[in-house]
């Protein structure tokens, strides 16, 4: 099965280098809930930790957008 909308949000915020506490605050959920979602994400993607998740996202992003660096849109706009 694919990721849920909430899991996708957590992946995005994790890739932006937010901590579990920051993600919880951003999404108005408990930090334990973030951890539970991360374990579910790891299981679905066959990975084992946060670094692997960030590498996975970076690899997918490079395949989809080969001419862009991996950075949030607002960070890319700041470069121009």
């Amino acid at each position: 099965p694919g990721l849920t909308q909430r899991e996708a949000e957590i992946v995005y915020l994790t890739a932006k280098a937010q901590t579990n506490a920051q993600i919880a605050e951003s999404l108005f959920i408990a930090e334990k809930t973030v951890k539970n979602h991360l374990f579910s994400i790891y299981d679905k993607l066959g990975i084992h930790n946060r670094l692997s998740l960030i590498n996975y996202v970076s690899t997918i992003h490079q395949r989809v957008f080969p001419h862009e660096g991996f950075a949030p849109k607002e960070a890319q706009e700041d470069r121009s």
Side-chain angles (χ1 to χ4, degrees):
L3 299 180
T4 65
Q5 178 65 35
R6 180 62 85 184
E7 289 169 342
E9 292 168 341
I10 290 172
V11 168
Y12 174 75
L13 295 172
T14 301
K16 288 180 60 174
Q18 289 194 9
T19 65
N20 289 353
Q22 290 169 323
I23 294 169
E25 186 176 327
S26 295
L27 300 178
F28 304 101
I29 58 177
E31 190 172 349
K32 176 68 174 148
T33 303
V34 173
K35 291 177 184 178
N36 289 339
H37 281 300
L38 283 169
F39 286 125
S40 176
I41 292 163
Y42 296 162
D43 186 52
K44 287 179 180 181
L45 299 179
I47 57 179
H48 304 289
N49 57 50
R50 194 177 206 91
L51 181 59
S52 295
L53 177 59
I54 292 168
N55 287 335
Y56 177 87
V57 171
S58 178
T59 299
I60 295 300
H61 186 271
Q62 288 172 3
R63 287 182 187 163
V64 175
F65 305 103
H67 302 294
E68 296 179 19
F70 179 67
K73 185 174 177 65
E74 57 271 19
Q76 290 177 10
E77 290 171 355
D78 289 345
R79 291 186 209 157
S80 23

